[in-house]
Amino acid sequence: TATQEDTDEGPAEGAKTAPVQVSVAGGQLALTPDQGLLTSPDTAFPVYIDPVWQTSAAYAWGMVSSGYPDQTYYKFAGKSTEGMGRCLVSVDPTCVKDQTKRLFYRMKLPAIKGTYIESAEFVAYETHAYDCSNGSTVELWRATALSSSATWNNTSGNWGTLLDYRDVAYCSRTPVEFGGATLRSHVQSAVDKGYTTITFGLKAYRETTMAWW
């Protein structure tokens, strides 16, 4: 018999799994289990229906800079990546000018109001660090909705709740995974309220030194 701890951790090693078909009609969300799995003589009950929902990419994203406080960098102004933290010309001339950068990501949410979310995870990729040997803290925040007109000056009040943080120092493309109870509860709340998107923000714990860039 499976325990609560077993189901919290997901399928056990060697467990059989199958995709769950999803359909929406008349305002109702229907989950249809795999009939082959349910009727197989090898299937051991109980069977748990616990689909994984994944938004693989941000719906919208943007960077804001203290060095250009009225400039918008919606969708990174066409760039594939952007920096985060304090950038100082005296340390790195490519900074162009002394500035602090922060990032926003707006994610789509599935229409699953009324369901319980077991866990939630936000994954960003770090491609470079000022110091590849000593980790610096990156914070994940719940933020208010990102718009295409977002700038440093008009987003100072967008930072709501600190959800999680990670100490990282990667100098090649590496995933940084955020999770935990606070992140899960905010995603749960957004889904319960019928929100279609949720916005997160990333910023450095210290924004006064380039050691956290």
Side-chain angles (χ1 to χ4, degrees):
T1 302
T3 65
Q4 182 63 42
E5 182 178 359
D6 293 332
T7 58
D8 284 349
E9 294 299 324
E13 183 176 350
K16 294 182 179 181
T17 62
V20 175
Q21 299 299 316
V22 180
S23 62
V24 178
Q28 298 293 318
L29 177 70
L31 304 179
T32 305
D34 183 85
Q35 293 301 305
L37 179 64
L38 292 179
T39 58
S40 172
D42 297 329
T43 297
F45 287 83
V47 172
Y48 295 91
I49 301 173
D50 187 18
V52 175
W53 298 89
Q54 179 176 350
T55 299
S56 59
Y59 169 72
W61 57 96
M63 181 271 290
V64 295
S65 168
S66 65
Y68 305 90
D70 295 311
Q71 178 66 40
T72 180
Y73 296 93
Y74 186 66
K75 293 191 174 181
F76 296 169
K79 296 173 63 177
S80 60
T81 62
E82 259 299 351
M84 184 208 65
R86 186 66 174 169
C87 200
L88 300 173
V89 175
S90 60
V91 179
D92 185 351
T94 62
C95 295
V96 181
K97 66 187 302 185
D98 292 350
Q99 56 183 307
T100 300
K101 293 184 177 183
R102 297 172 176 174
L103 306 178
F104 293 98
Y105 296 90
R106 190 174 184 184
M107 316 295 294
K108 285 187 175 181
L109 290 172
I112 53 174
K113 183 177 181 179
T115 61
Y116 176 76
I117 296 173
E118 188 70 50
S119 63
E121 185 177 72
F122 177 88
V123 180
Y125 285 83
E126 183 175 28
T127 58
H128 174 75
Y130 170 71
D131 187 340
C132 300
S133 301
N134 298 306
S136 56
T137 302
V138 177
E139 297 178 340
L140 177 71
W141 288 72
R142 174 75 183 276
T144 54
L146 171 69
S147 73
S148 59
S149 60
T151 68
W152 179 270
N153 280 343
N154 65 25
T155 58
S156 60
N158 282 34
W159 303 84
T161 302
L162 176 63
L163 303 176
D164 195 14
Y165 62 89
R166 289 289 182 269
D167 292 332
V168 294
Y170 301 123
C171 281
S172 60
R173 191 173 189 270
T174 306
V176 181
E177 301 170 345
F178 300 88
T182 306
L183 172 59
R184 189 212 69 80
S185 68
H186 275 258
V187 174
Q188 180 77 67
S189 175
V191 167
D192 290 344
K193 293 175 181 177
Y195 293 173
T196 58
T197 64
I198 187 171
T199 301
F200 301 112
L202 290 176
K203 64 178 179 178
Y205 173 69
R206 295 188 186 276
E207 297 181 321
T208 57
T209 170
M210 195 161 174
W212 298 76
W213 172 259

